[in-house]
Amino acid sequence: MPELTDLSVRQALDALRRGEISSLALTQACLARIDRLDPAVHAFLTRTSDLAVQQAGAADRRLVAHRAGRDEGPLPPLLGLPLAVKDVLAVEGIRCTCGSKILENFIPPYTATSVERLLAAGVVIVGKTNTDEFAMGSSTENSAYGPSHNPWNLEHVPGGSSGGSAAAVASRMVPAAVGSDTGGSVRQPASYCGVTGLKPTYGRVSRYGLVAYGSSLDAVGAFGRTAEDVALLFELMAGRDARDATSMDVAVPAIRLDPDPSLAGMRIGVPKEYFIAGIQPEVEAGVRQAVAQLEALGASVREVSLPYTEYALPVYYLIAPAEASANLARYDGVRFGLREQSAQVLDQYKRTRGAGFGAEVKRRIMLGTYALSAGYYDAYYGQAQKVRTLIKRDFEQAFTQVDAIATPVAPTTAFRIGEHGDDPLSMYLEDVFTLPTNLAGVPGLAFPVGFDARGLPVGMQLMGPHFREEILFRIAHAYQQVTGWHQKAPLV
Ligand code: GLN
């Protein structure tokens, strides 16, 4: 039997069902590993050990009763599985900071639908993970509570903004975690940390209870070590929710992953616009090799073109800050979290927001407010929306020719903490390959395909048509059947 913390979601669930392990033992192994490693990795902002032990005990009672034939109904599919949740998703009664001082003591009175569905499926919540403040960033350095560290090299960032969730899964503190992705925040940290991460189709997973950043871009996604594990979580989170008007009423197919890794009949496109100057040669080589592997499994590979790719970055950095500036208006010291008292209400707003928000959040609010102001709205925001439509059409056009598109996740592997410190624009460039999917609303899956010379993971991204996540899982699962990158563990 491998170490408990080495078990994948699938393996853990099978062992729990068979009674070979208990949820309490598994949960305590996770908590002990967090105790040991988190002082160095800093993946967690809040630990919920007491709750976890209580949930694990309840899961064990149900598992025992079921095996003894005393529990009639079907067992919840994830019963007893430890899980970490990014600290931008509300869980009733547990502090939710969004990595910001302004919400330092905010305890939500309700639970995000995505998490509620996982709880109904039996998960055990071990804690809330670190994030760039309000999910704005690509490194988790923008957290008001200090950066997370990459388990493969503690001097490097884990990526962001869901860096805490990615680092927790990579360092085997938990078998799986939940995150959010507005422009790459699940896929890019998954890639930097060598784990598998999904950004679903926009509207596929309810955003209710996800603290809003860019409402037309935000998606709740999941991390695991294998595509199969991420698919298990995704299936349960997805589906229409009456509490999110943008969640779609599209059936969620049960994802069946074939043990036969053949990809015969699968058409994969490689867009020339994603192999640009400035890309780290080892990233390009790793992705090209992985594409060759997919071809060896029977997929047909062809070049495709997504001509508007170069506009994704400027378009995103108009639309996301514009929506953020509106979404963040609610933090005024009256209803939530921090309040800097003043006799004058306007002064109270100013002081609260001045003290509560960090530099990057303030920058985004200023950018967004400017882009939305009278006189500039049409020139910036309106124009960006038009170009967004062209980017979406690029994908529609490409998906008439291929079933999925394969690209790098980011131009580089994990950079050093502080490397992009005084140059926000160079940091924004890390998102150049992940932003287009959020603008188009299509799903994207990141998974490890190798390492660079410094031993840092290289990731590949698969993008698919709207609501066709199962294609991405099928391809990544086939790849993971015949390669071992996803099984490598950092020596933290
Ligand atoms: N890095 C991008 C940003 O800062 C994307 C972040 C995200 O996906 N939440 O906006």
Side-chain angles (χ1 to χ4, degrees), residues 86 135-138 161 180-185 213 316-317 364 431:
K86 183 180 182 181
M136 296 175 188
S138 314
S161 61
S180 68
D181 189 312
T182 303
S185 279
Y213 165 12
Y316 175 88
Y317 278 99
R364 306 280 179 113
D431 306 324

Side-chain angles (χ1 to χ4, degrees), residues 82-153:
L83 180 85
V85 177
K86 183 180 182 181
D87 207 19
V88 293
L89 285 153
V91 185
E92 185 183 344
I94 301 174
R95 182 173 85 122
C96 182
T97 69
C98 296
S100 181
K101 283 282 174 217
I102 213 160
L103 291 179
E104 188 163 13
N105 299 311
F106 172 59
I107 306 219
Y110 64 102
T111 300
T113 300
S114 51
V115 178
E116 195 173 79
R117 288 182 180 178
L118 294 176
L119 281 168
V123 298
V124 168
I125 295 185
V126 301
K128 303 289 298 288
T129 55
N130 201 7
T131 167
D132 287 297
E133 189 174 357
F134 288 104
M136 296 175 188
S138 314
S139 66
T140 317
E141 292 170 289
N142 293 338
S143 167
Y145 304 97
S148 296
H149 298 256
N150 191 311
W152 293 92
N153 182 332

Side-chain angles (χ1 to χ4, degrees), residues 410-468:
T412 70
T413 55
F415 48 90
R416 293 181 84 82
I417 291 177
E419 192 172 322
H420 291 304
D422 37 18
D423 185 2
L425 211 60
S426 72
M427 177 91 84
Y428 296 175
L429 278 168
E430 294 294 328
D431 306 324
V432 47
F433 300 147
T434 47
L435 305 171
T437 54
N438 299 75
L439 291 167
V442 298
L445 181 74
F447 57 98
V449 296
F451 292 88
D452 72 4
R454 297 172 299 177
L456 293 164
V458 172
M460 175 154 104
Q461 171 174 236
L462 292 170
M463 309 185 276
H466 291 108
F467 300 104
R468 300 303 303 277

